[in-house]
Amino acid sequence: MSSDILRRGRLATAPDEEITKFTSSMDADKWIFEADIAVDMAHTVMLKEQGIIKESDCYGILKGLLNIKEGGIDKLDHTYEDIHISLESKLIDLVGEDVGGRMHSGRSRNDEVATCIRLVLRDEMLGLMGDLALLRGSLYSTADKNIDTLMPGFTHLQHAQPTTLAHHLIAHANVFGRDFDRTLSAYSRINLSPLGAAAFASTGFNIDRSRTQKLLGFDDLVENSMDAVSSRDFLIESASVFANVMINLSKMAEEIVMWSTAEFDFIELNDMYSSTSSIMPQKKNPDTAELIRGKSGVAIGSLMSLLTICKSLPLSYNRDLQEATPNIWRSIETTRAAVRIMAGIVGTMKVNIDVMTEQSVTGFTTATELADTIVRATGVPFRTAHQIVGVLSRGKGEPTLGEIDAVAHNVIGESLSGRGLTEDMVREALDPRSNIKKRNVTGGPAPDEIRRSLNSNMVKLGKDEQKLESLNKRIDDSISNLLGVVSECISKQ
Ligand code: ARG
């Protein structure tokens, strides 16, 4: 450490290595290195425009910041307690204290760090929305290829009724559509500027908060300066979005693991997403899906850490908050990778259509349709039909009309064929394809309904992608505008 610009006034003894390591946020701060420079630039430009620093000082600071940006984070001294002070100290080394020492006027690390976290997190949220759109696209296009692929639907993990793979995959895709909406909603509370709140009580310098807000592409301010430096509800909200995404992925991953077993044999993963055993040469294991399931623990753990760290903190800034931030980076990194990997798994897996079709009727999955058919053909109440088919299910399943009549005699004292039930009706009720075709109510698995649903979901996906593109453009434009303002300031000298 060349000169400790932070401690030299107030503190006499330096922390030893262990204390330094314990208190430093340098490791996690690699996430906010570039954001911090953007914040420094916007603040410096505003200070000059407000007449708080001279044009020549602004020039010197901006030149120095560009130089530091070019050198990258590795050129910084990592023995400081955080990136902000390391960066400012480097600036002072480069351009002298009379110039560089003016950058932190009207600002504190408290509003600075909150601004940096929001800048990086908003980009990550936009990235996550892109990843979720990719996954939804992958699920919808696999669904589109499997509108006629029969499979058993499950409740309690027991064969329940026939459905199609398309129906099953759209169910998952629509959940990720809501995850997209949740991410977008959280984004609106992230993209707000805390800058100018200073330590917590704002500042007596004549700063312009809305100017730095606009230069950094924030939609609005976190107005109250105590709220601005101390609130991390946006982290908790985001971590909860990530945990939700990971839970949804984990549920899918569990199915992928099961469906890859010899017992199910519904799918085979692409080798890319599989591993083998170091001892059992025949093994093909669905490790990527298992790890998606396992890594949901990282997202849940991060959310729990954030909640626990923020609990009971008095206003305003407390150093505890430093411990909150790494949780969000850990969680977003894991979540985004898991979403992208799941998109790849779904897009490349081989579907064993024959096995799924065969299994679609295992366990008398057409029993509900048989009971419904009895109701429609004979007028007996559903509960009575349920009892008759229930008794038949105790046997081998898939009964003949004669067997149905025999049970009906025992239950209601008359035959159902006498009340209009025919062989054809029974045969149709037991046919899984006609089961599916009949289920054409909104959201059901009938091929026509699935085609309608796929179309409308693809329209929503398209609209979401457009929304995302315009948000990305707004952010990109604001950052190039900031860099434009910076080079204009520099060129004036
Ligand atoms: N590294 C700190 C954090 O992440 C930056 C703010 C430090 N502020 C302070 N008053 N010590 O929270």
Side-chain angles (χ1 to χ4, degrees), residues 6 18-33 36 73 76-86 109 113 116-117 232 317 319-327 329:
L6 184 62
E18 184 170 38
I19 302 169
T20 302
K21 200 159 168 263
F22 190 75
T23 51
S24 165
S25 60
M26 275 308 271
D27 274 352
D29 285 351
K30 66 175 186 293
W31 281 84
I32 58 169
F33 169 67
D36 205 19
I73 192 169
L76 291 186
D77 185 337
H78 283 244
T79 58
Y80 281 101
E81 65 181 51
D82 60 36
I83 194 93
H84 318 292
I85 216 67
S86 176
R109 283 180 296 165
V113 73
C116 292
I117 299 168
R232 294 294 184 270
Y317 180 85
R319 191 67 179 271
D320 312 46
L321 293 176
Q322 174 173 300
E323 210 57 29
T325 318
N327 289 288
W329 308 141

Short mmCIF file of all heavy atoms in Angstrom, two decimals, residues 6 18-33 36 73 76-86 109 113 116-117 232 317 319-327 329:
data_model
loop_
_atom_site.label_atom_id
_atom_site.label_comp_id
_atom_site.label_asym_id
_atom_site.label_seq_id
_atom_site.Cartn_x
_atom_site.Cartn_y
_atom_site.Cartn_z
N LEU A 6 -7.08 6.62 3.29
CA LEU A 6 -8.28 6.51 4.12
C LEU A 6 -7.95 6.60 5.61
O LEU A 6 -8.57 7.35 6.35
CB LEU A 6 -8.97 5.17 3.83
CG LEU A 6 -10.28 4.92 4.52
CD1 LEU A 6 -11.32 5.96 4.10
CD2 LEU A 6 -10.80 3.52 4.18
N GLU A 18 -4.55 -10.69 8.98
CA GLU A 18 -5.81 -11.40 9.22
C GLU A 18 -7.00 -10.44 9.27
O GLU A 18 -8.06 -10.69 8.69
CB GLU A 18 -5.73 -12.21 10.52
CG GLU A 18 -7.00 -13.02 10.71
CD GLU A 18 -6.91 -14.02 11.84
OE1 GLU A 18 -6.30 -13.69 12.87
OE2 GLU A 18 -7.45 -15.13 11.68
N ILE A 19 -6.79 -9.31 9.95
CA ILE A 19 -7.88 -8.31 10.04
C ILE A 19 -8.18 -7.74 8.66
O ILE A 19 -9.35 -7.55 8.29
CB ILE A 19 -7.51 -7.18 11.04
CG1 ILE A 19 -7.21 -7.77 12.42
CG2 ILE A 19 -8.63 -6.14 11.12
CD1 ILE A 19 -6.58 -6.79 13.39
N THR A 20 -7.12 -7.48 7.91
CA THR A 20 -7.31 -6.94 6.56
C THR A 20 -8.16 -7.89 5.73
O THR A 20 -9.11 -7.49 5.07
CB THR A 20 -5.94 -6.71 5.88
OG1 THR A 20 -5.20 -5.83 6.71
CG2 THR A 20 -6.09 -6.12 4.50
N LYS A 21 -7.79 -9.17 5.80
CA LYS A 21 -8.51 -10.17 5.01
C LYS A 21 -9.98 -10.26 5.48
O LYS A 21 -10.90 -10.38 4.67
CB LYS A 21 -7.81 -11.53 5.20
CG LYS A 21 -8.12 -12.52 4.12
CD LYS A 21 -7.08 -13.62 4.02
CE LYS A 21 -7.61 -14.73 3.13
NZ LYS A 21 -8.21 -15.84 3.86
N PHE A 22 -10.15 -10.18 6.76
CA PHE A 22 -11.48 -10.32 7.36
C PHE A 22 -12.41 -9.17 6.95
O PHE A 22 -13.61 -9.36 6.75
CB PHE A 22 -11.34 -10.33 8.89
CG PHE A 22 -12.59 -10.71 9.63
CD1 PHE A 22 -13.02 -12.03 9.67
CD2 PHE A 22 -13.32 -9.75 10.32
CE1 PHE A 22 -14.16 -12.39 10.36
CE2 PHE A 22 -14.47 -10.09 11.01
CZ PHE A 22 -14.89 -11.41 11.03
N THR A 23 -11.82 -7.98 6.83
CA THR A 23 -12.67 -6.80 6.59
C THR A 23 -12.75 -6.41 5.11
O THR A 23 -13.58 -5.60 4.74
CB THR A 23 -12.14 -5.58 7.39
OG1 THR A 23 -10.74 -5.45 7.11
CG2 THR A 23 -12.34 -5.76 8.86
N SER A 24 -11.89 -6.99 4.28
CA SER A 24 -11.83 -6.55 2.89
C SER A 24 -12.96 -7.15 2.04
O SER A 24 -13.37 -8.29 2.22
CB SER A 24 -10.49 -6.97 2.29
OG SER A 24 -10.53 -6.87 0.89
N SER A 25 -13.42 -6.34 1.09
CA SER A 25 -14.40 -6.87 0.13
C SER A 25 -13.79 -6.98 -1.27
O SER A 25 -14.50 -7.17 -2.26
CB SER A 25 -15.64 -5.96 0.07
OG SER A 25 -15.29 -4.66 -0.32
N MET A 26 -12.46 -6.88 -1.34
CA MET A 26 -11.80 -6.83 -2.65
C MET A 26 -12.15 -8.01 -3.56
O MET A 26 -12.31 -7.84 -4.76
CB MET A 26 -10.27 -6.73 -2.49
CG MET A 26 -9.75 -5.33 -2.29
SD MET A 26 -10.30 -4.12 -3.51
CE MET A 26 -9.07 -4.24 -4.78
N ASP A 27 -12.26 -9.20 -2.97
CA ASP A 27 -12.55 -10.38 -3.80
C ASP A 27 -13.87 -10.23 -4.57
O ASP A 27 -13.92 -10.41 -5.78
CB ASP A 27 -12.63 -11.65 -2.93
CG ASP A 27 -11.24 -12.24 -2.73
OD1 ASP A 27 -10.30 -11.74 -3.39
OD2 ASP A 27 -11.11 -13.17 -1.90
N ALA A 28 -14.91 -9.90 -3.82
CA ALA A 28 -16.24 -9.78 -4.46
C ALA A 28 -16.33 -8.51 -5.29
O ALA A 28 -17.13 -8.42 -6.22
CB ALA A 28 -17.33 -9.79 -3.41
N ASP A 29 -15.49 -7.53 -4.96
CA ASP A 29 -15.57 -6.24 -5.66
C ASP A 29 -15.14 -6.32 -7.12
O ASP A 29 -15.35 -5.36 -7.88
CB ASP A 29 -14.73 -5.17 -4.93
CG ASP A 29 -15.40 -4.67 -3.66
OD1 ASP A 29 -16.58 -5.03 -3.44
OD2 ASP A 29 -14.76 -3.94 -2.89
N LYS A 30 -14.55 -7.48 -7.50
CA LYS A 30 -14.20 -7.59 -8.92
C LYS A 30 -15.48 -7.46 -9.80
O LYS A 30 -15.41 -7.02 -10.93
CB LYS A 30 -13.46 -8.90 -9.22
CG LYS A 30 -14.27 -10.16 -9.03
CD LYS A 30 -13.44 -11.37 -9.47
CE LYS A 30 -14.21 -12.66 -9.46
NZ LYS A 30 -14.62 -13.13 -8.13
N TRP A 31 -16.61 -7.79 -9.21
CA TRP A 31 -17.88 -7.66 -9.93
C TRP A 31 -18.20 -6.20 -10.24
O TRP A 31 -18.92 -5.91 -11.20
CB TRP A 31 -19.03 -8.25 -9.09
CG TRP A 31 -19.12 -9.74 -9.14
CD1 TRP A 31 -18.41 -10.63 -8.39
CD2 TRP A 31 -19.97 -10.52 -9.98
NE1 TRP A 31 -18.76 -11.91 -8.72
CE2 TRP A 31 -19.72 -11.87 -9.69
CE3 TRP A 31 -20.92 -10.22 -10.95
CZ2 TRP A 31 -20.39 -12.92 -10.33
CZ3 TRP A 31 -21.58 -11.25 -11.59
CH2 TRP A 31 -21.31 -12.58 -11.28
N ILE A 32 -17.74 -5.28 -9.37
CA ILE A 32 -18.19 -3.89 -9.53
C ILE A 32 -17.09 -2.95 -10.01
O ILE A 32 -17.27 -1.74 -10.01
CB ILE A 32 -18.83 -3.35 -8.22
CG1 ILE A 32 -17.85 -3.43 -7.04
CG2 ILE A 32 -20.12 -4.09 -7.89
CD1 ILE A 32 -18.34 -2.68 -5.80
N PHE A 33 -15.93 -3.51 -10.43
CA PHE A 33 -14.80 -2.67 -10.85
C PHE A 33 -15.20 -1.69 -11.96
O PHE A 33 -15.05 -0.47 -11.82
CB PHE A 33 -13.64 -3.57 -11.32
CG PHE A 33 -12.53 -2.84 -12.01
CD1 PHE A 33 -11.73 -1.94 -11.32
CD2 PHE A 33 -12.28 -3.04 -13.37
CE1 PHE A 33 -10.69 -1.27 -11.96
CE2 PHE A 33 -11.25 -2.38 -14.02
CZ PHE A 33 -10.45 -1.48 -13.32
N ASP A 36 -17.84 0.83 -10.88
CA ASP A 36 -17.31 1.87 -10.00
C ASP A 36 -16.68 2.99 -10.83
O ASP A 36 -16.82 4.17 -10.51
CB ASP A 36 -16.29 1.27 -9.02
CG ASP A 36 -16.17 2.09 -7.75
OD1 ASP A 36 -17.09 2.88 -7.46
OD2 ASP A 36 -15.14 1.96 -7.06
N ILE A 73 -8.51 -4.46 -13.39
CA ILE A 73 -8.52 -4.59 -11.93
C ILE A 73 -7.20 -5.14 -11.38
O ILE A 73 -6.81 -4.83 -10.24
CB ILE A 73 -9.72 -5.44 -11.47
CG1 ILE A 73 -9.91 -5.32 -9.95
CG2 ILE A 73 -9.60 -6.87 -11.92
CD1 ILE A 73 -11.20 -5.90 -9.44
N LEU A 76 -4.68 -2.85 -9.79
CA LEU A 76 -4.98 -2.17 -8.53
C LEU A 76 -4.30 -2.87 -7.36
O LEU A 76 -4.01 -4.07 -7.42
CB LEU A 76 -6.49 -2.15 -8.28
CG LEU A 76 -7.36 -1.28 -9.20
CD1 LEU A 76 -8.80 -1.28 -8.68
CD2 LEU A 76 -6.83 0.14 -9.27
N ASP A 77 -4.08 -2.11 -6.31
CA ASP A 77 -3.51 -2.65 -5.08
C ASP A 77 -4.64 -3.38 -4.32
O ASP A 77 -5.66 -2.78 -3.97
CB ASP A 77 -2.98 -1.47 -4.24
CG ASP A 77 -2.26 -1.95 -3.00
OD1 ASP A 77 -2.52 -3.09 -2.55
OD2 ASP A 77 -1.43 -1.18 -2.47
N HIS A 78 -4.44 -4.69 -4.13
CA HIS A 78 -5.51 -5.50 -3.52
C HIS A 78 -5.43 -5.57 -2.00
O HIS A 78 -6.15 -6.34 -1.38
CB HIS A 78 -5.53 -6.90 -4.13
CG HIS A 78 -6.16 -6.92 -5.49
ND1 HIS A 78 -7.31 -7.59 -5.78
CD2 HIS A 78 -5.80 -6.29 -6.64
CE1 HIS A 78 -7.65 -7.38 -7.04
NE2 HIS A 78 -6.72 -6.60 -7.59
N THR A 79 -4.54 -4.75 -1.42
CA THR A 79 -4.45 -4.79 0.05
C THR A 79 -5.37 -3.76 0.71
O THR A 79 -5.45 -3.69 1.93
CB THR A 79 -3.01 -4.56 0.52
OG1 THR A 79 -2.58 -3.29 0.03
CG2 THR A 79 -2.07 -5.65 0.01
N TYR A 80 -6.06 -2.97 -0.10
CA TYR A 80 -7.01 -2.02 0.48
C TYR A 80 -8.28 -2.73 0.91
O TYR A 80 -8.56 -3.85 0.48
CB TYR A 80 -7.35 -0.93 -0.54
CG TYR A 80 -6.28 0.13 -0.64
CD1 TYR A 80 -5.37 0.12 -1.68
CD2 TYR A 80 -6.19 1.13 0.33
CE1 TYR A 80 -4.39 1.09 -1.77
CE2 TYR A 80 -5.20 2.10 0.24
CZ TYR A 80 -4.31 2.08 -0.81
OH TYR A 80 -3.34 3.02 -0.88
N GLU A 81 -9.10 -2.01 1.71
CA GLU A 81 -10.29 -2.70 2.23
C GLU A 81 -11.40 -2.85 1.21
O GLU A 81 -12.27 -3.71 1.35
CB GLU A 81 -10.80 -2.07 3.53
CG GLU A 81 -11.33 -0.66 3.40
CD GLU A 81 -11.79 -0.10 4.74
OE1 GLU A 81 -11.00 -0.16 5.70
OE2 GLU A 81 -12.92 0.40 4.81
N ASP A 82 -11.39 -2.00 0.19
CA ASP A 82 -12.35 -2.23 -0.89
C ASP A 82 -11.91 -1.57 -2.18
O ASP A 82 -10.93 -0.83 -2.22
CB ASP A 82 -13.79 -1.84 -0.50
CG ASP A 82 -13.94 -0.37 -0.13
OD1 ASP A 82 -13.28 0.47 -0.76
OD2 ASP A 82 -14.75 -0.09 0.78
N ILE A 83 -12.67 -1.86 -3.24
CA ILE A 83 -12.32 -1.38 -4.58
C ILE A 83 -12.37 0.15 -4.65
O ILE A 83 -11.57 0.77 -5.36
CB ILE A 83 -13.28 -2.00 -5.63
CG1 ILE A 83 -12.77 -1.81 -7.05
CG2 ILE A 83 -14.67 -1.44 -5.54
CD1 ILE A 83 -11.95 -2.93 -7.55
N HIS A 84 -13.29 0.75 -3.89
CA HIS A 84 -13.47 2.20 -4.01
C HIS A 84 -12.22 2.93 -3.56
O HIS A 84 -11.76 3.86 -4.22
CB HIS A 84 -14.68 2.65 -3.16
CG HIS A 84 -15.85 1.74 -3.28
ND1 HIS A 84 -16.56 1.62 -4.44
CD2 HIS A 84 -16.41 0.86 -2.41
CE1 HIS A 84 -17.52 0.72 -4.27
NE2 HIS A 84 -17.44 0.23 -3.04
N ILE A 85 -11.69 2.48 -2.44
CA ILE A 85 -10.54 3.19 -1.88
C ILE A 85 -9.27 2.82 -2.65
O ILE A 85 -8.37 3.65 -2.83
CB ILE A 85 -10.46 2.94 -0.35
CG1 ILE A 85 -9.97 4.20 0.35
CG2 ILE A 85 -9.68 1.76 0.05
CD1 ILE A 85 -10.93 5.35 0.29
N SER A 86 -9.22 1.61 -3.15
CA SER A 86 -8.07 1.19 -3.94
C SER A 86 -8.01 1.99 -5.24
O SER A 86 -6.95 2.45 -5.68
CB SER A 86 -8.18 -0.31 -4.23
OG SER A 86 -7.16 -0.72 -5.06
N ARG A 109 -18.59 6.30 0.25
CA ARG A 109 -18.59 4.94 -0.30
C ARG A 109 -19.96 4.28 -0.12
O ARG A 109 -20.28 3.32 -0.79
CB ARG A 109 -17.51 4.10 0.38
CG ARG A 109 -16.12 4.39 -0.11
CD ARG A 109 -15.11 3.53 0.60
NE ARG A 109 -15.05 3.82 2.02
CZ ARG A 109 -14.48 3.04 2.92
NH1 ARG A 109 -13.93 1.89 2.56
NH2 ARG A 109 -14.44 3.38 4.19
N VAL A 113 -21.20 2.44 -3.27
CA VAL A 113 -21.31 0.98 -3.41
C VAL A 113 -22.74 0.58 -3.78
O VAL A 113 -22.96 -0.30 -4.61
CB VAL A 113 -20.79 0.23 -2.16
CG1 VAL A 113 -21.74 0.33 -0.98
CG2 VAL A 113 -20.55 -1.24 -2.49
N CYS A 116 -23.08 1.11 -7.42
CA CYS A 116 -22.36 0.08 -8.21
C CYS A 116 -23.14 -1.24 -8.24
O CYS A 116 -23.27 -1.86 -9.29
CB CYS A 116 -20.99 -0.20 -7.58
SG CYS A 116 -19.86 1.17 -7.71
N ILE A 117 -23.63 -1.67 -7.09
CA ILE A 117 -24.34 -2.95 -7.03
C ILE A 117 -25.56 -2.91 -7.95
O ILE A 117 -25.83 -3.85 -8.71
CB ILE A 117 -24.79 -3.28 -5.59
CG1 ILE A 117 -23.60 -3.40 -4.65
CG2 ILE A 117 -25.59 -4.59 -5.56
CD1 ILE A 117 -24.00 -3.44 -3.16
N ARG A 232 -31.36 -2.89 1.22
CA ARG A 232 -30.93 -3.99 0.34
C ARG A 232 -32.13 -4.87 0.01
O ARG A 232 -31.97 -6.03 -0.33
CB ARG A 232 -29.81 -4.81 1.00
CG ARG A 232 -28.50 -4.07 1.22
CD ARG A 232 -27.82 -3.68 -0.09
NE ARG A 232 -26.51 -3.05 0.12
CZ ARG A 232 -26.30 -1.75 0.27
NH1 ARG A 232 -27.33 -0.90 0.23
NH2 ARG A 232 -25.08 -1.25 0.44
N TYR A 317 -26.28 3.08 7.02
CA TYR A 317 -25.30 2.10 6.55
C TYR A 317 -24.67 1.36 7.72
O TYR A 317 -24.34 1.96 8.75
CB TYR A 317 -24.20 2.78 5.71
CG TYR A 317 -23.17 1.78 5.23
CD1 TYR A 317 -23.37 1.04 4.06
CD2 TYR A 317 -22.01 1.51 5.97
CE1 TYR A 317 -22.46 0.08 3.64
CE2 TYR A 317 -21.09 0.56 5.55
CZ TYR A 317 -21.32 -0.16 4.39
OH TYR A 317 -20.43 -1.11 3.98
N ARG A 319 -21.66 -1.92 8.21
CA ARG A 319 -20.69 -2.68 7.43
C ARG A 319 -21.18 -4.10 7.14
O ARG A 319 -20.71 -4.74 6.21
CB ARG A 319 -19.34 -2.70 8.18
CG ARG A 319 -18.17 -3.23 7.36
CD ARG A 319 -17.78 -2.32 6.18
NE ARG A 319 -16.65 -2.85 5.45
CZ ARG A 319 -15.37 -2.61 5.72
NH1 ARG A 319 -15.05 -1.78 6.70
NH2 ARG A 319 -14.41 -3.16 5.01
N ASP A 320 -22.13 -4.57 7.95
CA ASP A 320 -22.73 -5.90 7.68
C ASP A 320 -23.14 -6.02 6.22
O ASP A 320 -23.12 -7.11 5.64
CB ASP A 320 -24.01 -6.11 8.52
CG ASP A 320 -23.86 -5.78 9.98
OD1 ASP A 320 -23.30 -4.71 10.29
OD2 ASP A 320 -24.34 -6.58 10.81
N LEU A 321 -23.56 -4.89 5.65
CA LEU A 321 -24.09 -4.91 4.27
C LEU A 321 -23.06 -5.42 3.27
O LEU A 321 -23.40 -5.97 2.24
CB LEU A 321 -24.58 -3.51 3.87
CG LEU A 321 -25.81 -3.01 4.63
CD1 LEU A 321 -26.16 -1.58 4.23
CD2 LEU A 321 -27.00 -3.94 4.41
N GLN A 322 -21.79 -5.22 3.61
CA GLN A 322 -20.73 -5.72 2.73
C GLN A 322 -20.83 -7.24 2.59
O GLN A 322 -20.49 -7.80 1.55
CB GLN A 322 -19.36 -5.32 3.31
CG GLN A 322 -18.19 -5.91 2.57
CD GLN A 322 -16.87 -5.34 3.07
OE1 GLN A 322 -16.65 -4.14 3.01
NE2 GLN A 322 -16.00 -6.19 3.59
N GLU A 323 -21.28 -7.88 3.65
CA GLU A 323 -21.37 -9.34 3.66
C GLU A 323 -22.58 -9.83 2.84
O GLU A 323 -22.64 -10.98 2.42
CB GLU A 323 -21.51 -9.80 5.12
CG GLU A 323 -20.94 -11.15 5.45
CD GLU A 323 -19.47 -11.33 5.12
OE1 GLU A 323 -18.70 -10.34 5.14
OE2 GLU A 323 -19.09 -12.47 4.82
N ALA A 324 -23.52 -8.91 2.62
CA ALA A 324 -24.73 -9.29 1.84
C ALA A 324 -24.41 -9.46 0.37
O ALA A 324 -24.84 -10.43 -0.27
CB ALA A 324 -25.82 -8.23 2.03
N THR A 325 -23.62 -8.52 -0.15
CA THR A 325 -23.43 -8.44 -1.61
C THR A 325 -22.93 -9.72 -2.29
O THR A 325 -23.48 -10.11 -3.32
CB THR A 325 -22.51 -7.25 -1.93
OG1 THR A 325 -22.90 -6.15 -1.11
CG2 THR A 325 -22.60 -6.86 -3.38
N PRO A 326 -21.87 -10.38 -1.78
CA PRO A 326 -21.37 -11.55 -2.50
C PRO A 326 -22.43 -12.62 -2.73
O PRO A 326 -22.35 -13.38 -3.70
CB PRO A 326 -20.26 -12.10 -1.59
CG PRO A 326 -19.86 -10.94 -0.73
CD PRO A 326 -21.08 -10.12 -0.55
N ASN A 327 -23.43 -12.67 -1.86
CA ASN A 327 -24.49 -13.67 -2.03
C ASN A 327 -25.25 -13.48 -3.33
O ASN A 327 -25.67 -14.45 -3.97
CB ASN A 327 -25.48 -13.60 -0.86
CG ASN A 327 -24.85 -14.13 0.40
OD1 ASN A 327 -24.65 -15.32 0.54
ND2 ASN A 327 -24.51 -13.22 1.31
N TRP A 329 -24.05 -12.18 -6.10
CA TRP A 329 -23.20 -12.55 -7.25
C TRP A 329 -23.16 -14.08 -7.39
O TRP A 329 -23.24 -14.63 -8.48
CB TRP A 329 -21.79 -11.98 -7.12
CG TRP A 329 -21.71 -10.50 -6.86
CD1 TRP A 329 -20.85 -9.86 -6.02
CD2 TRP A 329 -22.51 -9.45 -7.46
NE1 TRP A 329 -21.06 -8.50 -6.04
CE2 TRP A 329 -22.07 -8.22 -6.91
CE3 TRP A 329 -23.56 -9.42 -8.39
CZ2 TRP A 329 -22.64 -6.99 -7.27
CZ3 TRP A 329 -24.11 -8.19 -8.74
CH2 TRP A 329 -23.65 -7.01 -8.19
#
